[in-house]
C-alpha cells in the first residue's frame, strides 16, 4: 500500500506558489500527508502555505535554509507512514499536472527497482517548450538535458526512460531509500543536489526513471535569477558551476577524478578566454573561481569522496554509460564558438539547456540515412556558388602556375614577390629580432606585414608558401566572396550582389596583382569590401565596428601604406558630413583611424621620414612592372597597366552601367557618394602614376572601382521593376543586364584564354646552390649576381634564400657603399682587392644564374682568388679560395625593441577584445506572473490514460 507525503518548499515565491498549491491539491491521486516549508519568505509565501495546508502543516525555517536542509527538517519531525512511503518534493515554482502523481506511482509499480522518479518538465511561460526529460552530466561537470534549445513537446520523447538524474522539482523518492542515502547533501543548498542524490541512488543499485505521462511546469526562478538567492552570497552561475564540478569529482573513481581535474583545468581556462573575448569578465571570473573553489579545498573534497566510497567502483560502469557522450563536448565547444561569432557569447549559465543527443545506442551508419539539409543549404547559397565558379576560373587561368606550385623543388616568386622560402617560425624570428644577420646585417626593425604573414603562415600549418599561394593566387575567389558578404546590408537584391562581387573579383587590378606577384595589393583587394561594410556601421556610431575597422585597416596599412591615406581622407570627409547629424560618429572615426597609428607607430615614423615610401607597397619595386606611359584611357577604364591586365575595353560595361545609374531618380545620394569615391580614387591614381616611377596605381583604382560598383549595384533592384513594366522599359532592362554582365564575362574569358602570364612563376629554383649550401660554414654567405641592361644587381644570402620582408631591411650606409663598390669591381675584373673586401663580409661563394653572361664569366674567371666550382646552362658557381671572415654574431636584443613588441602584443589583444562580438541576452524577459494551467496539452496524456490505472 503506497503512502505519499508531499513537501512544498517556498522561498519568496508568491508569484508562482498560488498556482503550485492549487495544482498539488488538485491531484487525482489524493495525498496522504502534505507539509509546507517557508524558508523566511518576505512576500507572503508563508501565508499562502498556511491558507492551503493549515497552520499545523506549515514549518517556518530561517531565510538561509537550503532546499535539502528544509526537507531533512520535515522528515526529521515527521514519523514514517505505514506501508511503503513515498516523498514527493516540490518547488514553489513547479506546478504539477493533475495526473502527475498518479502517473509517477503507476510507473513505480511497474518497476520494483525504481526508487527515484521525476516528471516531464515544461516551461512555465511557453508551456509547449520542454525543459527536462531527465538530466545527465558531461565529463567536465556540465549539465546536459539532451534537448534542443526551446524544443517543443510533440511526444517525441514520450515513455518511461532510465536516466542518470531527475530534478527535485517534482521528484518522487522512496523514504527508505532517502534514509539509506541520507537524502540530499546539505552542503549543496542549491543546484546539482538532485544530480548528487540520483547518482548515489544509482550507485546503490536503485533505478532513476523519468515518466513522460507525469507533467509539471517549472519557472526555474532561482536558475533564471527571478528572485534573490539567500542560501549563498555567490552568483547563481558560479554556484551552479562549482556544485557541478564538486558532484562530479566527489562521485567518480580516482582515475576518472585525475582525468576530470586535468580536463576541467584546461577547459575552464579556454572558456574563461572565450568569455573575455565576448566581453563577459564576470562570467570568466565565475568559471575560474568555481574551479578554484573545488580543487582549492582538497580536504572538503576528500571528505565527500569518503562518504560516497561505498559501491563507487562497482556502479561506475553503469553511471559512465549515462554520461554525455565524449563527442558531445566537441559539439558544445563548436556551439560556444558559433555563438561567440554570432554575438551571443559563450553563455552556459544555470538553467540553460544544451542539446547533446545520446548517440551511443544508434546503429552504426544511421547518421548516413539522415539528411539535415546543411550541405544542400550551403551549396545552394549564391555566395558559395559564386566562390566555386570563381575558383574554377582561377584554376583554369593559373594552369601554368599549378604544376610548379605542387612540385617539391619549385618556389613561387617573380615580379614584386621575393621567391617564397622559409616557414612561419622563420618569419616570427625575423620580426622579433633586434639585429638581423641576413645580407649585410641591419639594425632596422622588420616591417609589420612580416608579423601578419607569419600569422597567416601559422594558420597554414607553418607553410609560408601555402599562405602566400592562397592569398595571392586565390585572391579572385576570395575577393568575390568578400564583396558578396560585405554588401549584404548595402544591397538587398541578390542578383545585383552576385554581379557586383563577380565584377569586383575580375577587375583588371586583380588579375594584374596575380601576374605581378603583388602580395600586399592582393590582401587589400580582399579587405576593401570589408572596409566598405564596416565603414557604414562606423558612420552609424558603432564602436565595436570601429575597433574591427581599425584592426583590419592596420593589416592593409602594413602591406600598402597608401591605404591609410585614402581611408583617412574619406574618413575626414565623413566626419564633416555626418559628425553633426549622428551621435558617436566622430568618436568611432577617431577609433578606427587611430588604431593603425597606435599599432604601427614605429614603422610609420620611418615611413614619414621618407614620404615617397607611402606610395610603395610591400615586396620588390621593379620598374619593369610599371607602365611608364599609362594613358588616360587606361585610368578611366580602371586599368592600372602592367603585366596581366586585360584590354582597356574590358571594363566598358561597368562604366556604362554606372553612368546609367546617374539617370535614375531614386537613391541619388548613394549614387553620388559612389561616383565621388570613384573620382577621388581616380585622382589619386593619376598622382601615383605620375609622381613615382616605381609606384603602381592598383590600390587607388580599386577604390574607384568599389565606388562605381556600389553606385551601380544599389540601383539594380530597379531592373525588376522595369522588367515587370513591359514595353521599352523591359527591353531597356534586358539591355542593361547584358551590358553589366559583359564586364565579368569578358574579363573571365580573356583571363582564362591568356592565362596568368607575367613575371610571377612557380618553378623558380632555390637561389642558393646545393654545393654552396653544403660547403658553407655557419655565418658564411653566397653572393648572387644578376646582370641586366649593362648593370649588375646582387643579393647576399647566408645559408638560405631571402625571406619576405628582408628586402625592406636597411643595412648601414657605409657597409652598403663599400660592399657595392666591391661587387662592381669584381664584375668588372679590376683586381683581387675587391674579393678580399667580399671575403671580409663573409662571402664564400659567388653564383650567377643561367644563362651566364660571357663578359661576367670572364671577369670572375680572371680573379685569382676565385675558383670555378661549376658552370652549366643553369648557372655558374665560384668559390673564394682565401680566408673568409664571417660577420660577428647578432647583438642582443635592445630593451626598446623588446618593450615595443610586448606593448604591441598587449595592444593587439586589447583591440581584438574590443572588436570581438559581445554577448546578447537570450533569455526572454517574462514577468513569470500567475499563468493559468493549460489543459490543452493534456489531450495526448489522456489518450494514454488506459496505461495509468486510477
Amino acid at each position: 500500500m503506497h503512502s505519499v507525503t508531499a513537501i512544498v518548499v517556498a522561498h519568496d515565491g508568491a508569484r508562482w506558489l498560488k498556482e503550485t498549491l492549487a495544482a498539488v491539491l488538485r491531484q487525482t491521486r489524493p495525498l496522504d500527508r502534505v507539509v509546507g516549508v517557508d524558508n523566511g519568505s518576505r512576500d507572503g509565501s508563508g501565508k499562502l502555505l498556511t491558507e492551503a495546508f493549515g497552520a499545523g502543516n506549515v514549518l517556518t525555517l530561517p531565510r538561509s535554509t537550503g532546499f535539502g536542509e528544509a526537507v531533512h527538517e520535515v522528515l526529521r519531525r515527521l514519523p514514517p507512514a505505514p506501508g511503503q512511503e513515498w516523498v514527493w518534493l516540490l518547488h514553489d515554482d513547479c506546478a504539477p499536472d493533475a495526473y502527475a502523481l498518479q502517473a509517477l506511482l503507476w510507473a513505480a509499480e511497474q518497476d520494483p527497482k525504481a526508487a527515484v522518479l521525476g516528471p516531464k518538465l515544461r516551461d512555465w511561460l511557453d508551456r509547449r517548450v520542454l525543459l527536462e526529460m531527465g538530466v545527465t552530466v558531461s565529463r567536465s561537470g556540465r549539465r546536459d538535458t539532451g534537448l534542443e534549445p526551446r524544443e517543443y513537446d510533440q511526444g517525441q520523447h514520450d515513455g518511461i526512460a532510465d536516466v542518470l538524474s531527475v530534478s527535485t522539482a517534482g521528484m518522487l523518492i522512496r523514504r527508505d531509500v532517502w534514509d539509506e542515502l541520507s537524502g540530499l547533501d546539505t552542503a549543496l543548498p542549491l543546484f546539482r543536489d538532485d544530480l548528487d542524490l540520483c547518482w548515489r541512488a544509482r550507485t546503490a543499485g536503485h533505478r532513476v526513471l523519468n515518466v513522460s505521462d507525469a507533467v509539471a511546469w517549472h519557472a526555474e526562478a532561482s536558475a533564471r535569477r527571478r528572485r534573490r538567492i539567500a542560501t549563498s552570497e555567490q552568483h547563481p552561475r558560479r554556484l551552479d558551476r562549482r556544485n557541478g564540478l564538486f558532484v562530479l569529482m566527489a562521485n567518480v573513481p580516482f582515475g576518472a577524478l585525475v582525468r576530470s581535474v586535468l580536463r576541467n583545468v584546461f577547459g575552464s581556462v579556454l572558456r574563461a578566454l572565450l568569455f573575455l573575448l565576448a566581453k563577459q569578465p564576470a562570467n570568466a571570473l565565475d568559471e575560474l573561481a568555481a574551479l578554484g573553489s573545488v580543487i582549492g579545498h582538497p580536504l572538503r573534497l576528500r571528505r565527500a569522496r569518503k562518504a560516497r566510497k561505498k559501491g563507487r567502483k562497482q556502479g561506475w560502469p553503469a553511471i559512465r554509460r549515462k554520461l554525455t557522450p565524449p563527442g558531445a563536448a566537441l559539439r558544445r565547444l563548436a556551439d560556444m564558438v558559433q555563438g561567440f561569432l554570432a554575438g551571443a557569447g559563450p553563455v552556459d549559465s544555470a538553467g540553460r539547456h544544451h542539446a547533446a543527443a545520446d548517440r551511443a545506442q544508434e546503429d552504426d551508419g544511421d547518421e548516413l540515412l539522415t539528411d539535415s539539409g546543411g550541405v544542400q543549404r550551403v551549396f545552394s547559397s549564391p555566395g558559395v556558388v559564386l566562390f566555386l565558379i570563381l575558383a574554377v576560373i582561377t584554376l583554369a587561368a593559373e594552369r601554368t602556375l599549378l604544376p610548379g606550385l605542387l612540385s617539391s623543388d619549385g618556389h613561387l616568386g617573380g615580379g614584386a614577390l621575393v621567391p617564397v622560402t622559409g616557414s612561419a617560425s622563420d618569419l616570427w624570428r625575423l620580426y622579433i629580432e633586434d639585429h638581423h644577420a641576413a645580407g649585410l646585417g641591419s639594425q632596422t626593425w622588420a616591417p609589420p606585414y612580416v608579423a601578419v604573414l607569419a600569422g597567416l603562415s601559422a594558420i597554414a600549418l607553418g607553410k609560408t608558401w601555402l599562405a602566400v599561394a592562397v592569398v595571392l593566387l586565390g585572391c579572385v575567389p576570395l575577393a568575390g566572396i568578400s564583396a558578396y558578404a560585405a554588401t549584404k546590408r548595402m544591397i538587398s537584391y541578390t542578383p545585383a550582389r552576385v554581379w557586383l562581387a563577380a565584377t569586383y573579383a575580375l577587375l583588371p587590378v586583380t588579375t594584374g596583382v596575380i601576374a605581378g606577384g603583388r602580395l600586399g595589393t592582393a590582401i587589400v583587394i580582399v579587405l576593401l569590401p570589408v572596409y566598405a561594410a564596416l565603414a557604414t556601421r562606423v558612420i552609424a556610431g558603432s564602436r565595436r565596428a570601429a575597433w574591427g575597422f581599425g584592426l583590419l585597416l592596420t593589416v592593409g596599412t602594413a602591406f600598402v601604406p597608401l591605404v591609410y591615406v585614402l581611408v583617412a581622407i574619406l574618413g575626414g570627409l565623413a566626419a564633416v558630413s555626418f559628425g553633426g547629424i549622428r551621435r558617436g560618429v566622430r568618436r568611432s572615426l577617431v577609433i578606427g583611424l587611430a588604431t593603425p597609428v597606435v599599432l604601427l607607430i614605429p614603422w610609420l615614423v620611418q615611413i614619414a621620414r621618407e614620404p615617397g615610401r607611402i606610395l610603395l607597397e610591400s615586396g620588390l619595386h621593379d620598374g619593369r612592372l610599371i607602365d611608364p606611359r599609362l594613358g588616360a584611357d587606361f585610368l578611366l577604364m580602371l586599368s592600372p597597366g602592367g603585366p596581366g591586365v586585360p584590354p582597356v575595353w574590358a571594363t566598358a560595361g561597368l562604366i556604362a552601367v554606372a553612368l546609367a545609374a546617374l539617370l535614375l531618380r531614386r537613391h541619388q545620394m548613394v549614387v553620388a557618394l559612389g561616383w565621388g569615391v570613384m573620382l577621388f580614387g581616380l585622382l589619386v591614381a593619376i598622382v601615383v602614376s605620375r609622381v613615382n616611377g616605381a609606384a603602381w596605381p592598383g590600390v587607388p583604382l580599386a577604390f574607384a572601382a568599389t565606388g562605381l560598383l556600389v553606385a551601380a549595384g544599389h540601383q539594380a533592384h530597379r531592373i525588376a521593376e522595369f522588367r515587370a513594366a513591359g514595353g521599352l522599359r523591359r527591353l531597356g532592362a534586358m539591355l542593361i543586364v547584358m551590358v553589366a554582365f559583359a564586364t565579368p564575362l569578358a574579363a573571365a574569358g580573356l583571363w582564362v584564354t591568356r592565362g596568368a602570364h607575367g613575371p610571377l612563376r612557380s618553378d623558380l629554383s632555390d637561389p642558393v646552390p646545393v654545393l654552396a649550401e653544403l660547403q658553407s660554414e655557419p655565418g658564411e654567405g653566397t653572393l648572387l649576381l644578376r646582370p641586366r641592361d649593362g648593370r649588375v644587381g646582387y643579393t647576399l644570402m647566408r645559408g638560405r634564400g631571402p625571406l619576405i620582408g628582408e628586402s625592406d631591411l636597411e643595412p648601414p650606409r657605409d657597409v652598403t657603399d663599400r660592399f657595392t663598390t666591391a661587387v662592381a669591381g669584381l664584375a668588372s675584373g679590376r683586381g683581387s682587392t675587391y674579393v678580399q673586401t667580399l671575403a671580409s663580409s663573409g662571402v664564400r661563394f659567388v653564383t650567377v644564374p643561367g644563362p651566364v653572361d660571357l663578359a661576367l664569366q670572364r671577369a670572375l674567371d680572371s680573379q685569382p682568388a676565385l675558383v670555378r666550382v661549376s658552370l652549366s646552362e643553369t648557372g655558374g658557381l665560384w668559390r673564394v679560395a682565401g680566408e673568409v671572415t664571417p660577420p660577428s654574431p647578432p647583438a642582443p636584443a635592445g630593451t626598446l625593441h623588446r618593450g615595443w613588441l610586448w606593448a604591441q602584443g598587449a595592444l593587439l589583444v586589447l583591440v581584438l577584445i574590443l572588436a570581438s562580438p559581445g554577448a546578447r541576452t537570450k533569455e526572454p524577459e517574462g514577468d513569470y506572473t500567475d499563468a493559468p494551467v493549460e489543459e490543452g496539452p493534456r489531450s495526448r496524456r489522456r489518450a494514454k490514460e488506459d496505461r495509468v490505472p486510477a
Side-chain angles (χ1 to χ4, degrees):
M1 184 66 180
H2 292 306
S3 174
V4 180
T5 299
I7 302 177
V8 180
V9 181
H11 175 75
D12 289 343
R15 286 186 289 177
W16 315 279
L17 184 58
K18 185 175 182 181
E19 181 182 342
T20 298
L21 296 176
V24 170
L25 298 176
R26 196 170 54 238
Q27 291 299 303
T28 58
R29 196 287 188 190
L31 296 166
D32 298 285
R33 294 186 295 186
V34 61
V35 179
V37 183
D38 177 28
N39 288 346
S41 300
R42 299 173 179 173
D43 62 349
S45 296
K47 182 178 180 182
L48 293 177
L49 288 172
T50 302
E51 293 175 353
F53 298 156
N57 293 324
V58 176
L59 180 64
T60 302
L61 296 176
R63 186 171 178 80
S64 59
T65 306
F67 182 86
E69 187 178 354
V71 177
H72 274 288
E73 185 63 23
V74 171
L75 294 180
R76 186 183 66 83
R77 301 187 183 194
L78 199 64
Q84 188 177 67
E85 182 181 6
W86 292 85
V87 180
W88 197 20
L89 307 180
L90 291 162
H91 298 183
D92 54 5
D93 60 346
C94 176
D97 180 77
Y99 298 88
L101 180 58
Q102 179 181 342
L104 291 173
L105 290 174
W106 178 84
E109 291 178 350
Q110 309 308 307
D111 189 347
K113 289 188 176 182
V116 183
L117 302 95
K120 173 198 298 183
L121 293 182
R122 294 184 189 165
D123 188 63
W124 185 277
L125 283 182
D126 190 345
R127 305 211 161 185
R128 301 167 297 172
V129 174
L130 283 171
L131 294 185
E132 290 182 19
M133 290 286 292
V135 178
T136 184
V137 66
S138 69
R139 287 167 173 79
S140 58
R142 304 195 181 279
R143 186 172 180 270
D144 189 356
T145 64
L147 301 174
E148 297 289 343
R150 296 193 60 79
E151 180 178 344
Y152 283 174
D153 181 15
Q154 299 174 333
Q156 66 272 32
H157 301 291
D158 279 1
I160 300 176
D162 186 15
V163 296
L164 176 62
S165 170
V166 294
S167 172
T168 50
M171 175 190 289
L172 185 69
I173 181 172
R174 279 186 6 218
R175 182 160 183 175
D176 61 325
V177 175
W178 173 278
D179 295 336
E180 174 191 349
L181 301 174
S182 300
L184 293 168
D185 189 350
T186 55
L188 304 173
L190 192 67
F191 303 136
R192 309 302 183 94
D193 49 349
D194 46 9
L195 173 65
D196 178 67
L197 176 61
C198 293
W199 192 312
R200 289 185 281 123
R202 293 194 65 92
T203 301
H206 304 291
R207 298 191 68 186
V208 180
L209 303 179
N210 180 265
V211 184
S212 63
D213 283 333
V215 181
W217 290 272
H218 194 197
E220 295 184 317
S222 297
R224 300 185 183 186
R225 285 171 278 170
R226 301 304 178 189
R227 60 178 165 198
R228 186 178 298 275
I229 297 175
T231 58
S232 175
E233 296 180 356
Q234 295 183 4
H235 191 281
R237 178 178 52 247
R238 182 184 302 184
L239 186 62
D240 175 75
R241 179 65 178 139
R242 178 259 179 196
N243 290 353
L245 289 171
F246 182 82
V247 170
L248 179 73
M249 296 182 183
N251 286 282
V252 298
F254 181 76
L257 171 65
V258 175
R259 292 191 296 271
S260 176
V261 171
L262 296 177
R263 181 185 300 110
N264 280 287
V265 168
F266 174 77
S268 294
V269 172
L270 177 60
R271 288 176 58 83
L273 178 61
L274 287 177
F275 279 130
L276 289 175
L277 292 178
K279 306 183 185 70
Q280 299 181 28
N283 291 16
L285 178 61
D286 289 339
E287 180 73 23
L288 298 178
L291 177 65
S293 177
V294 176
I295 64 178
H297 296 83
L299 295 181
R300 181 175 60 188
L301 183 60
R302 182 176 180 272
R303 290 193 298 268
R305 289 183 57 80
K306 184 177 181 180
R308 294 162 174 79
K309 182 178 180 180
K310 184 179 179 180
R312 180 161 52 208
K313 291 184 179 180
Q314 294 78 5
W316 172 241
I319 294 290
R320 183 170 52 191
R321 288 193 293 270
K322 295 297 180 183
L323 299 180
T324 302
L330 297 177
R331 292 194 294 271
R332 186 191 300 274
L333 179 61
D335 291 341
M336 288 171 50
V337 177
Q338 180 181 2
F340 163 69
L341 294 177
V347 181
D348 187 17
S349 304
R352 295 296 190 265
H353 304 275
H354 301 278
D358 187 356
R359 300 182 179 270
Q361 300 180 5
E362 289 187 5
D363 293 335
D364 292 340
D366 282 354
E367 68 277 4
L368 300 178
L369 302 179
T370 304
D371 182 11
S372 63
V375 175
Q376 181 179 357
R377 287 193 300 270
V378 169
F379 285 97
S380 61
S381 169
V384 175
V385 174
L386 173 65
F387 178 84
L388 294 176
I389 293 175
L390 292 175
V392 172
I393 294 173
T394 300
L395 291 175
E398 297 173 354
R399 56 190 178 272
T400 58
L401 297 175
L402 295 179
L405 190 65
L406 299 176
S407 65
S408 59
D409 55 349
H411 293 273
L412 183 66
L417 181 65
V418 176
V420 182
T421 58
S423 62
S425 59
D426 296 324
L427 292 178
W428 284 122
R429 189 179 303 110
L430 172 65
Y431 186 67
I432 66 176
E433 283 178 344
D434 184 64
H435 174 86
H436 308 284
L440 295 175
S442 175
Q443 300 286 344
T444 308
W445 294 2
Y449 70 81
V450 173
V452 178
L453 187 57
L456 294 176
S457 302
I459 297 174
L461 306 178
K463 302 181 183 300
T464 304
W465 69 267
L466 181 58
V468 173
V470 170
V471 174
L472 180 60
L473 302 184
C475 70
V476 168
L478 291 178
I481 194 65
S482 172
Y484 180 84
T487 53
K488 182 177 181 179
R489 295 188 178 184
M490 301 181 195
I491 301 172
S492 59
Y493 190 45
T494 302
R497 291 173 59 198
V498 172
W499 167 79
L500 183 150
T503 304
Y504 178 80
L506 293 166
L507 285 171
V509 176
T510 311
T511 56
V513 159
I514 297 174
R518 301 183 180 277
L519 179 62
T521 306
I523 289 180
V524 172
I525 289 292
V526 175
L527 291 179
L528 193 53
V530 186
Y531 290 164
L534 289 176
T536 59
R537 298 176 59 190
V538 171
I539 293 176
S542 172
R543 280 186 292 177
R544 181 167 67 86
W547 288 110
F549 178 80
L551 183 62
L552 293 180
L553 182 59
T554 302
V555 175
T557 304
F559 284 93
V560 185
L562 183 60
V563 170
Y564 184 83
V565 177
L566 298 174
V567 173
I569 294 175
L570 293 177
L573 294 176
V576 173
S577 303
F578 301 101
I581 301 176
R582 299 176 180 176
R583 294 183 55 186
V585 173
R586 292 175 180 171
R587 177 189 58 195
S588 298
L589 286 171
V590 169
I591 291 174
L593 295 176
T595 300
V597 176
V598 173
L599 291 176
L600 305 177
I601 186 167
W603 181 68
L604 292 178
V605 170
Q606 298 178 18
I607 296 291
R609 293 173 181 172
E610 302 179 40
R613 294 176 58 185
I614 296 178
L615 304 180
L616 303 177
E617 59 181 296
S618 61
L620 303 176
H621 309 123
D622 191 345
R624 295 179 301 172
L625 302 176
I626 309 298
D627 189 349
R629 300 179 181 180
L630 192 63
D633 54 343
F634 277 83
L635 294 174
L636 290 175
M637 291 297 174
L638 309 176
S639 178
V645 299
V648 67
W649 51 265
T651 53
L654 170 60
I655 306 298
V657 173
L659 288 172
L662 291 172
L663 303 178
L664 301 178
R665 297 180 180 180
R666 300 182 189 176
H667 305 291
Q668 283 295 309
M669 177 62 71
V670 177
V671 177
L673 288 175
W675 271 97
V677 173
M678 185 270 180
L679 293 176
F680 169 69
L682 184 61
L683 290 175
V684 176
I686 294 173
V687 173
V688 170
S689 62
R690 297 296 185 269
V691 171
N692 193 321
W696 194 58
V699 170
L701 288 181
F703 269 78
T706 302
L708 278 188
L709 286 168
V710 171
H714 204 273
Q715 298 281 42
H717 66 281
R718 303 290 304 278
I719 298 296
E721 300 176 9
F722 294 158
R723 186 175 56 187
L728 293 177
R729 291 191 174 187
R730 181 184 181 89
L731 183 61
M734 294 176 59
L735 180 61
I736 292 175
V737 170
M738 293 175 59
V739 172
F741 277 92
T743 293
L745 292 177
L750 290 169
W751 194 36
V752 171
T753 302
R754 296 183 172 188
H757 66 282
L760 184 69
R761 296 170 53 189
S762 62
D763 57 350
L764 296 178
S765 59
D766 195 328
V768 180
V770 177
L771 287 176
E773 185 176 357
L774 293 176
Q775 298 180 14
S776 296
E777 297 295 332
E780 295 181 348
T782 300
L783 179 64
L784 173 65
L785 301 180
R786 298 184 303 273
R788 185 179 62 195
D789 301 331
R791 305 181 64 183
V792 177
Y794 69 89
T795 302
L796 179 57
M797 303 169 291
R798 300 193 184 273
R800 56 166 174 78
L803 297 175
I804 296 178
E806 287 184 345
S807 60
D808 290 329
L809 301 178
E810 297 180 1
R813 184 174 297 276
D814 57 336
V815 175
T816 303
D817 293 341
R818 183 173 67 254
F819 196 86
T820 302
T821 302
V823 171
L826 176 67
S828 61
R830 286 181 290 175
S832 59
T833 305
Y834 299 111
V835 178
Q836 296 176 1
T837 302
L838 298 178
S840 64
S841 299
V843 176
R844 171 61 68 183
F845 289 93
V846 178
T847 182
V848 181
V852 180
D853 182 77
L854 185 58
L856 182 58
Q857 173 192 338
R858 292 174 178 173
L860 296 177
D861 287 337
S862 65
Q863 299 293 338
L866 290 180
V867 178
R868 185 199 296 178
V869 177
S870 65
L871 182 63
S872 64
E873 295 181 356
T874 60
L877 181 65
W878 287 261
R879 188 176 188 276
V880 177
E883 182 180 356
V884 172
T885 306
S888 57
T895 56
L896 178 61
H897 187 214
R898 185 61 56 87
W900 165 247
L901 291 177
W902 281 105
Q904 188 182 48
L907 291 171
L908 180 61
V909 172
L910 177 62
V911 174
L912 282 171
I913 293 175
L914 294 173
S916 62
R920 295 193 300 262
T921 301
K922 297 173 65 177
E923 187 66 49
E925 293 294 334
D927 56 4
Y928 283 78
T929 53
D930 294 346
V933 176
E934 296 183 2
E935 296 296 337
R938 297 299 311 152
S939 58
R940 181 179 294 105
R941 203 223 61 78
R942 286 174 178 162
K944 302 176 182 178
E945 272 189 16
D946 56 323
R947 301 190 316 179
V948 187

